[in-house]
Each structure stands twice: as structure tokens, then as C-alpha cells.
Amino acid sequence: SDTESTLFMVLLAVHTILMSKYTGQEDIVVGTGVAGRRHADLENVMGLFINMLALRSRPKKGKTFLEFLAEVKRTALDGFANQDYQYEELVRALDLQGNAAGKSLFETIIQVQNMDIPELKMPGLTLKPYDYELKTSRHPLVIYVTEEGDKINMIMLYATRVFLHETAEKLAERFIEVAKQVIEDREIKIEDIVLSFELEKLETPVLQEDQGDFEF
């Protein structure tokens, strides 16, 4: 829907600014998944057809948030318009099969999900959602977003080989910091968005279990 699309673009812009602040880079690529069922013949076919999009943005310091958001919107719309181009083909075309990042063009993913599950009724059969817990993470950081009325729910999934739980919590807090500042002043320049973190604390931890997660 248009609401979901707008929410995704705003959160993508916030997330990209946050990643730029942490890394000091002004060229950021973030991943997102698309359903991959645009062809009518696939609508009723069982299976997973998700394709990944690599959305590249340039959060340069002198841009205002609104200027950057407009760029993010154009990038996202261009990406969705070309979503049939398979991510694996893009990796091969860029000759990145053997890169050190594990054949990935991005390290973080943000995903807005529609969780409206229709009621299914069949004679003699009851179907209900099954709660399960993921145990592994293919990417260092994944943010899942859902809407519930006027509330936005976010779940951060992170690889514990990269982040300590305390570090992931700080990332979530800083995400909210950026969001609050751009809501209060949409013309704020990216360079004027401030974060309350200390760089010396952003150290890579020792290897731990595969994954952690929490809601914020």
C-alpha cells in the first residue's frame, strides 16, 4: 500500500543516515526483500519467490533530511521497478562471487511487512499461525517492521559474531534518536543530526552464538 511504501522510505532514510554516522561513509547500500510474484501465473503457486534489492544511497552531510528522503524515494522506486532482475545475477554481473563480504552487496536489511493473515477455513481442518524462533542470521543486521494501528513495531535481528547484545541495543536507541530529530525538523542537515555514542565502544566482539534479537 501507499502507507507501507511511505513508511518504508522514511525508515530506510533514517536507517541509512544511522549507518552513515556509525561508519563515516557517505555511500551506503541497504537490502530489502520483494515478494517476487508479479507474474499472474505465480500468484497461486506454493513456494518462496523472494528477490533481494540492493538500494544504494548517498547521505552526504550537506543535504537536508527532506532532500535525502526525496533521493531515497527515487532510488527505492527505481529498485522496485526493476525487481524482476535477480539479485544473484547482479552479483555475477558485478563479478563479486568471491568477495570477502560473502557475495553480498549489503550488510544490513530493512523490511516492512504486512502481517495481515486472513482467516482460513476448511472442512475438518483448523489453521493458525505458528510462532517460531530463527536461530541463524545470514546478515549482520536485519530490521523487520510491522504496523499495528497507529503503532510501529520493529524487531532487530543481529548476528552475534558481529554485535554484542549491548551494542545492538545501542543501535536501536540511536535509530530512535535519528527518527526523533528528523520528525522535529525535516529540514535538518544530515551533518547536524547528532548521536550519543562513543566510537571506542564500537568494537567487534568475540565469536558467540549465531543470532540474537529484540523488539523496540
Side-chain angles (χ1 to χ4, degrees):
S1 68
D2 291 340
T3 302
E4 288 178 351
S5 178
T6 301
L7 175 62
F8 169 76
M9 292 170 186
V10 171
L11 295 180
L12 175 60
V14 170
H15 176 68
T16 304
I17 291 172
L18 179 63
M19 293 298 100
S20 177
K21 293 288 185 179
Y22 266 96
T23 63
Q25 299 178 11
E26 295 183 335
D27 189 345
I28 304 292
V29 181
V30 177
T32 192
V34 289
R37 290 178 177 269
R38 295 212 297 175
H39 196 285
D41 291 344
L42 298 176
E43 290 181 358
N44 297 316
V45 177
M46 295 181 64
L48 190 65
F49 294 89
I50 292 176
N51 186 34
M52 297 302 297
L53 299 182
L55 303 177
R56 185 180 188 182
S57 303
R58 294 176 173 82
K60 295 187 180 296
K61 296 178 181 178
K63 296 176 181 176
T64 68
F65 176 72
L66 278 184
E67 289 172 340
F68 180 60
L69 179 60
E71 292 180 8
V72 168
K73 180 179 180 180
R74 288 194 295 269
T75 298
L77 290 176
D78 286 344
F80 290 132
N82 292 279
Q83 62 181 276
D84 292 333
Y85 191 90
Q86 291 298 303
Y87 174 73
E88 291 77 9
E89 290 293 330
L90 179 60
V91 170
R92 282 194 286 271
L94 295 175
D95 196 24
L96 296 176
Q97 292 94 325
N99 73 341
K103 305 180 183 180
S104 180
L105 296 175
F106 43 81
E107 298 295 317
T108 67
I109 294 173
I110 186 165
Q111 191 74 48
V112 175
Q113 297 180 309
N114 183 350
M115 299 302 290
D116 292 334
I117 302 176
E119 183 179 357
L120 298 177
K121 295 182 178 179
M122 298 182 186
L125 181 63
T126 300
L127 301 176
K128 62 180 180 179
Y130 174 75
D131 292 329
Y132 66 95
E133 181 181 356
L134 293 172
K135 295 296 184 181
T136 59
S137 177
R138 296 181 59 187
H139 296 272
L141 185 68
V142 183
I143 298 175
Y144 293 105
V145 183
T146 59
E147 288 187 275
E148 185 179 343
D150 59 355
K151 180 180 178 182
I152 298 174
N153 299 313
M154 305 180 73
I155 297 176
M156 178 181 287
L157 192 70
Y158 61 93
T160 55
R161 70 181 184 278
V162 179
F163 298 109
L164 294 169
H165 181 76
E166 294 79 7
T167 305
E169 283 185 325
K170 285 183 173 62
L171 276 170
E173 292 169 2
R174 305 311 170 238
F175 189 104
I176 295 172
E177 281 185 5
V178 175
K180 285 182 176 179
Q181 289 176 72
V182 300
I183 289 172
E184 292 173 358
D185 182 4
R186 291 175 292 178
E187 294 288 350
I188 188 172
K189 289 188 176 181
I190 293 176
E191 62 186 329
D192 294 329
I193 296 173
V194 296
L195 301 179
S196 54
F197 68 79
E198 298 178 16
L199 288 176
E200 62 268 21
K201 293 183 179 180
L202 301 178
E203 299 177 354
T204 302
V206 296
L207 292 178
Q208 299 183 51
E209 59 186 11
D210 288 335
Q211 171 200 292
D213 66 83
F214 59 89
E215 298 185 25
F216 66 102

